[in-house]
Amino acid sequence: MFSTLNLQSLAGLIVIVAACWLLSENRRLFPWRLALGAIGVQALLILALFAIPGSQGVLAAVTGAVDGLARATSEGTRFVFGFLAGGDQPYAVTNDGALFTFAFQVLPLILVISALSALLWHWKILKWITLGFGFLFQRTMGLGGASALAVAANIFLGMIESPIVIRAYLDKLTRSEIFLMMVVGLATVAGSTMVAYATILSAVLPNAAGHVLVASIVSAPAGVLLARILIPEKPGEGGAVADYGSALKYDSAVDAIVKGTADGLMVVLNISAVLIVFVALVALVNVMMGGIWLFDAPVTVQRLLGWVFMPLAWLIGVDWAEAGQAGLLLGVKLTLTEFVAFIELGKVPAGEMSERTRMLLTYALCGFANIGSVGITVTGLSVLIPERREEVLGMVWKALFAGFLATLMTAAVVGSMPASIFA
């Protein structure tokens, strides 16, 4: 049964698309067919992954795989770090909650999944899955072969690794296609971080692993649509055809594991550094505003973000009573990365937030669209296509805007669907 909250999400979907159209470089080139195709693909993927008979069994298997990976990673982490990683404690523990350490319980998962992803790519398992999604996006949304493959790769690889897949075609892409690739990279997450997010939310959200996986998949069409609205493809341009012979190759299974681990280490170091710096900067701003009080409480960056993003939270289908808390998490995602936002969402007790709001926020937060990722995007693409660095710099903030809205659009699509689908 549909409710007013479903209609609220539907209205939010319209507002998000309309906002991008108002900021479009050419409003007369609105991609109507792409809009219908992208939203249709999102709805079909959600139905296929949640509503089709047997799909719950698949999601349960995904959850089981995530749990197994988490346990296996824990064994390796404890071997290296001992009691710091949750092993046998050398002293009496009076607060079990204090044993959770982000550096030891979450970040090692990225190393393991990065190595496993590289191995699955070498064995061509992940490659064929990516090609399947690329074919789907090419047929349903009219993307060129190279763009379709890059979009599909973004679902499973990082926002810098995916352009490597089509490195031979990067210099042939139009401005609109490069922008599209940037937006989708910011709107989705890498497979290595999906498992970490699912682990963080597993205690408070049923089917957390399934929701995180679906979130990254269905945000790709949303990113494509909003990118095409903001910077439309000029008639007669674009459509670079790829032969699907990826530039991402490994010499052997051992080579894939070693290089995948090294790539994962770079991701871990980058996440750690960004978190340290951005959390410290926010804390510094809070100290500077320490003397300002409003509504019987000190003004903080977190409170300000909560107020600013309340309307956006409401638009995706969150009840107004919870919009303040949801808006705060959206603001945290934009400024402090989705990792911090997911950790804060995981800390909210089950009884203090409705399951619908928690589910919608899982989709809204599941993307790399944060301020820290702007630097990563510019740096990565500047290495891959140095001759187009100025072009990338001129589009990166607009890409952040579109990538952030793409995850909200995905949440709005999910929120507009009957709750019985996700039961």
Side-chain angles (χ1 to χ4, degrees):
M1 292 293 292
F2 283 93
S3 67
T4 55
L5 289 176
N6 296 127
L7 296 176
Q8 185 176 310
S9 295
L10 189 59
L13 175 61
I14 296 170
V15 169
I16 290 169
V17 173
C20 289
W21 175 75
L22 287 172
L23 297 173
S24 173
E25 292 186 356
N26 191 337
R27 298 193 190 102
R28 285 181 287 185
L29 290 180
F30 184 86
W32 290 104
R33 291 180 62 184
L34 175 59
L36 295 175
I39 296 172
V41 167
Q42 283 191 297
L44 287 174
L45 286 172
I46 292 169
L47 290 172
L49 293 165
F50 282 104
I52 291 178
S55 60
Q56 292 299 319
V58 174
L59 292 177
V62 171
T63 300
V66 169
D67 290 341
L69 285 168
R71 287 195 297 270
T73 302
S74 179
E75 290 295 322
T77 310
R78 289 175 183 175
F79 179 79
V80 175
F81 296 107
F83 74 92
L84 294 174
D88 294 336
Q89 301 298 311
Y91 44 76
V93 177
T94 58
N95 181 9
D96 290 335
L99 293 178
F100 176 83
T101 307
F102 181 76
F104 298 136
Q105 266 79 23
V106 177
L107 292 181
L109 278 168
I110 296 175
L111 289 175
V112 174
I113 302 303
S114 182
L116 184 59
S117 296
L119 183 61
L120 292 176
W121 185 272
H122 174 68
W123 286 343
K124 294 184 170 48
I125 297 173
L126 188 55
K127 180 178 179 179
W128 283 110
I129 294 174
T130 301
L131 291 178
F133 276 104
F135 181 79
L136 173 66
F137 296 149
Q138 188 174 358
R139 293 300 181 185
T140 58
M141 293 184 286
L143 299 180
S147 292
L149 184 58
V151 169
N154 265 306
I155 296 174
F156 306 103
L157 305 175
M159 55 187 173
I160 299 305
E161 291 92 332
S162 54
I164 295 175
V165 174
I166 60 163
R167 187 168 189 169
Y169 304 93
L170 286 177
D171 61 339
K172 301 177 181 67
L173 299 183
T174 65
R175 178 170 176 269
S176 177
E177 287 177 321
I178 289 178
F179 180 70
L180 182 150
M181 185 173 62
M182 293 165 62
V183 171
V184 176
L186 291 167
T188 55
V189 295
S192 57
T193 55
M194 283 185 204
V195 177
Y197 302 150
T199 302
I200 292 170
L201 297 178
S202 60
V204 293
L205 179 68
N207 252 339
H211 284 299
V212 170
L213 172 63
V214 174
S216 188
I217 293 174
V218 298
S219 287
V224 170
L225 173 59
L226 299 188
R228 278 288 194 256
I229 293 174
L230 283 165
I231 302 183
E233 188 69 86
K234 295 178 181 178
E237 293 188 0
V241 178
D243 62 7
Y244 295 102
S246 169
L248 184 62
K249 299 182 185 296
Y250 301 100
D251 296 330
S252 65
V254 173
D255 182 54
I257 293 173
V258 171
K259 289 182 178 177
T261 302
D263 291 341
L265 179 60
M266 293 304 297
V267 173
V268 166
L269 292 175
N270 180 72
I271 289 173
S272 301
V274 168
L275 289 178
I276 290 170
V277 171
F278 277 83
V279 170
L281 289 176
V282 169
L284 180 61
V285 174
N286 286 340
V287 170
M288 295 169 64
M289 296 192 301
I292 304 174
W293 282 62
L294 195 61
F295 303 123
D296 299 322
V299 174
T300 63
V301 172
Q302 289 87 340
R303 290 188 71 200
L304 291 174
L305 292 173
W307 293 330
V308 169
F309 288 99
M310 275 181 74
L312 282 178
W314 183 85
L315 280 173
I316 65 175
V318 173
D319 188 276
W320 186 251
E322 296 181 316
Q325 191 175 28
L328 185 151
L329 292 173
L330 291 177
V332 168
K333 177 257 180 80
L334 181 63
T335 55
L336 295 178
T337 80
E338 73 286 346
F339 256 113
V340 178
F342 273 122
I343 290 171
E344 294 302 317
L345 178 60
K347 288 179 181 178
V348 179
E352 294 185 11
M353 179 180 284
S354 68
E355 187 174 316
R356 173 185 169 83
T357 295
R358 200 181 299 271
M359 180 181 70
L360 292 180
L361 284 174
T362 298
Y363 287 85
L365 300 177
C366 195
F368 286 144
N370 59 72
I371 295 173
S373 292
V374 169
I376 297 171
T377 300
V378 171
T379 302
L381 291 180
S382 294
V383 171
L384 294 172
I385 40 175
E387 70 279 6
R388 305 185 73 170
R389 185 172 185 273
E390 292 300 320
E391 205 170 13
V392 170
L393 283 170
M395 297 187 294
V396 69
W397 291 105
K398 187 177 288 188
L400 175 63
F401 172 78
F404 186 77
L405 286 186
T407 57
L408 296 182
M409 176 180 166
T410 297
V413 171
V414 171
S416 65
M417 306 183 90
S420 57
I421 291 175
F422 307 100

